[in-house]
């Protein structure tokens, strides 16, 4: 029994003290980083997220109302953190929306934009989520939102 407790304690210690490489990108997120670069290129903008060292991981965020964050370290490193429960529940467009929104902060240096179109539709992918507008990001509206995201 003493042996089992020692092993469990060591396992817990090493699991909780794991250092993350801030520039690594979770394999589940990488395809969305690739799509972001491709969409930028289609609009004449060259983006190299690996060169910028922007990382991303899926984990638990302590603030239950937050599904994604662009985190900046004092050393100037940037990474995206995505709430695990959000990631597992949302479809491709939901995942793309949150990754692109956070890259809007981390890469494009965009702030929140709570402008509203007619019908109470959010005008920007950079909406804060607290403005009360309806997020209409999907297959039919994607191009318009991405043009706005990249400043076109």
């Amino acid at each position: 029994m003493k042996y089992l407790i020692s092993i469990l304690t060591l396992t817990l210690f090493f699991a909780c003290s794991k250092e993350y490489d801030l520039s690594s990108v979770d394999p589940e997120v990488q395809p969305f980083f690739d799509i972001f670069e491709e969409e930028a290129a289609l609009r004449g903008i060259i983006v190299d997220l690996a060169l910028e060292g922007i990382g991303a991981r899926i984990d638990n965020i302590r603030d239950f109302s937050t599904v994604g964050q662009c985190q900046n370290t004092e050393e100037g490193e940037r990474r995206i953190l995505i709430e695990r429960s959000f990631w597992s529940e949302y479809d491709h467009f939901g995942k793309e929306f949150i990754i692109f929104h956070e890259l809007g902060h981390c890469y494009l240096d965009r702030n929140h934009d709570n402008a509203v179109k007619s019908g109470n539709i959010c005008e920007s992918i950079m909406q804060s989520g607290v403005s009360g507008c309806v997020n209409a990001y999907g297959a039919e509206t994607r191009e318009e939102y991405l043009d706005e995201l990249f400043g076109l």
Side-chain angles (χ1 to χ4, degrees):
M1 182 68 165
K2 200 178 202 183
Y3 178 72
L4 180 61
I5 291 173
S6 296
I7 290 176
L8 288 174
T9 302
L10 285 173
T11 303
L12 182 61
F13 173 77
F14 285 111
C16 292
S17 66
K18 180 180 178 184
E19 290 289 325
Y20 290 99
D21 176 6
L22 296 180
S23 65
S24 69
V25 179
D26 187 294
E28 290 185 59
V29 176
Q30 186 61 56
F32 296 95
F33 271 43
D34 296 341
I35 294 168
F36 184 88
E37 290 175 341
E38 292 165 9
E39 290 296 333
L42 289 172
R43 291 162 176 82
I45 301 167
I46 304 303
V47 172
D48 187 338
L49 297 172
L51 181 64
E52 292 293 319
I54 299 173
R57 69 185 172 107
I58 301 167
D59 206 343
N60 297 315
I61 298 176
R62 297 187 197 287
D63 178 358
F64 296 111
S65 64
T66 303
V67 296
Q69 293 177 333
C70 170
Q71 301 175 327
N72 297 289
T73 68
E74 290 179 10
E75 295 79 24
E77 296 172 300
R78 295 164 290 169
R79 73 170 173 195
I80 294 172
L81 180 61
I82 302 297
E83 169 57 42
R84 184 179 313 284
S85 62
F86 167 85
W87 193 261
S88 65
E89 292 178 13
Y90 278 72
D91 66 4
H92 174 83
F93 288 110
K95 292 173 181 177
E96 185 176 87
F97 174 87
I98 195 64
I99 295 296
F100 285 19
H101 174 95
E102 296 307 330
L103 285 171
H105 291 307
C106 277
Y107 183 79
L108 299 172
D109 295 319
R110 298 260 327 252
N111 292 320
H112 285 134
D113 180 349
N114 290 324
V116 178
K117 298 192 280 189
S118 65
N120 199 36
I121 304 296
C122 302
E123 191 170 293
S124 175
I125 198 170
M126 296 308 299
Q127 55 93 12
S128 67
V130 297
S131 66
C133 63
V134 176
N135 172 15
Y137 188 82
E140 295 176 7
T141 59
R142 182 177 182 270
E143 294 303 312
E144 180 182 347
Y145 276 105
L146 295 184
D147 284 348
E148 189 278 332
L149 175 65
F150 290 109
L152 302 179

